[in-house]
Amino acid sequence: MNVNDEKMIPEIVARLEKAWNAADGAGFAQPFAEDADFVNIRADHFKTREVIARGHQGIFDTIYKGSVVRYQMAGVREIAPRVLLVHVNATLQVPAGPFAGTHNSLFTMVLVQNENEWRIAAFHNTLVA
Amino acid sequence: MNVNDEKMIPEIVARLEKAWNAADGAGFAQPFAEDADFVNIRADHFKTREVIARGHQGIFDTIYKGSVVRYQMAGVREIAPRVLLVHVNATLQVPAGPFAGTHNSLFTMVLVQNENEWRIAAFHNTLVA
């Protein structure tokens, strides 16, 4: 992991956060690999960037409308060449609707570098009990 | 991924299942890398094989005493050389206590090969809503 790689991680996390807070499903999915796997807090399992984009746009427009997320890096570890394991704490504030309130979660991301570009290959999120 | 690698994955999953059902914390942790990361359904984050072993022995002896788990492979994908992303569906039956009943979950595992040996580098579990 070189200096550029170290900068890349918070940049990806910041991009996810910014896209969520702009209710931008395609923007949220943009750092994901085309064939990425995504498991949400309900254990729903989504595959491909396109499906991740569509699914997020769906929640941004409905149950999580107007919600604000804050991410905080909890750890980074290189588990193989060009493969990083990243843990992030999330705090989601939902203003109204069936999920109104504050929700804390912890997600694992696996980042993989291909041809100098880092992408999220896998994402798995769990609500803090 | 060669034929031996393909056999290795269900073997690791079967080992986890067998150790859980024998209430064997050290056996459950054995396929993990020494520095593995583990996130459970409460978003508790454990690090190192030793801590994973101890934590599991703790739940096997208390809240999950006498429980029986069944794992079913949900997917395998090679995300980088010698790095596999594995998804597994779990059904846990707890006979008594505060968590008595049946609990379904989906976990993500990241397997990494070092010197011909595959180990679980990361594990993240979420209850099915």
Side-chain angles (χ1 to χ4, degrees):
Chain A
M1 203 170 15
N2 62 36
V3 174
N4 281 336
D5 294 343
E6 281 178 32
K7 275 172 51 188
M8 166 282 301
I9 306 163
E11 278 169 11
I12 285 184
V13 172
R15 239 149 81 190
L16 293 173
E17 185 182 277
K18 192 177 168 190
W20 185 294
N21 294 334
D24 175 5
F28 186 86
Q30 195 275 330
F32 285 80
E34 227 181 295
D35 56 354
D37 284 79
F38 186 103
V39 179
N40 71 10
I41 56 165
R42 299 171 53 87
D44 298 320
H45 187 177
F46 302 100
K47 293 176 192 209
T48 78
R49 184 195 302 150
E50 195 187 327
V51 171
I52 294 165
R54 209 184 315 139
H56 278 81
Q57 197 59 59
I59 59 177
F60 294 155
D61 292 342
T62 57
I63 55 169
Y64 290 154
K65 200 174 166 76
S67 67
V68 177
V69 86
R70 288 287 168 255
Y71 294 142
Q72 189 162 16
M73 297 278 301
V76 178
R77 195 158 67 81
E78 191 169 25
I79 56 173
R82 298 168 175 242
V83 182
L84 298 174
L85 183 70
V86 180
H87 290 93
V88 177
N89 289 120
T91 301
L92 177 65
Q93 297 194 300
V94 184
F99 299 103
T102 301
H103 308 277
N104 296 306
S105 71
L106 170 65
F107 63 81
T108 297
M109 282 197 302
V110 185
L111 304 182
V112 177
Q113 187 181 34
N114 281 311
E115 294 163 9
N116 287 326
E117 192 171 51
W118 288 92
R119 292 281 179 179
I120 305 165
F123 185 111
H124 192 132
N125 198 9
T126 299
L127 275 181
V128 175
Chain B
M1 203 170 15
N2 63 35
V3 173
N4 281 336
D5 294 343
E6 281 177 32
K7 276 171 54 187
M8 166 281 301
I9 307 162
E11 279 169 10
I12 286 183
V13 172
R15 240 149 81 191
L16 294 174
E17 186 183 273
K18 192 178 167 187
W20 186 292
N21 294 334
D24 175 5
F28 186 86
Q30 195 275 330
F32 284 80
E34 230 181 292
D35 56 353
D37 284 78
F38 187 103
V39 179
N40 70 11
I41 55 166
R42 298 170 54 85
D44 297 321
H45 187 176
F46 303 101
K47 294 176 194 207
T48 78
R49 185 196 300 149
E50 195 188 326
V51 171
I52 294 166
R54 208 184 315 139
H56 279 80
Q57 197 59 58
I59 57 176
F60 295 155
D61 293 342
T62 56
I63 54 168
Y64 290 154
K65 199 175 167 77
S67 66
V68 177
V69 84
R70 289 288 169 255
Y71 294 143
Q72 189 162 18
M73 298 277 301
V76 178
R77 197 159 66 81
E78 192 169 25
I79 56 174
R82 298 167 175 241
V83 182
L84 297 175
L85 183 70
V86 180
H87 290 93
V88 178
N89 289 119
T91 302
L92 176 66
Q93 296 193 300
V94 184
F99 299 104
T102 301
H103 308 277
N104 297 306
S105 72
L106 170 65
F107 63 80
T108 297
M109 284 196 301
V110 186
L111 304 181
V112 177
Q113 187 181 35
N114 282 311
E115 293 163 10
N116 286 326
E117 193 170 51
W118 288 92
R119 292 281 179 180
I120 306 165
F123 186 111
H124 192 133
N125 199 10
T126 299
L127 275 182
V128 176

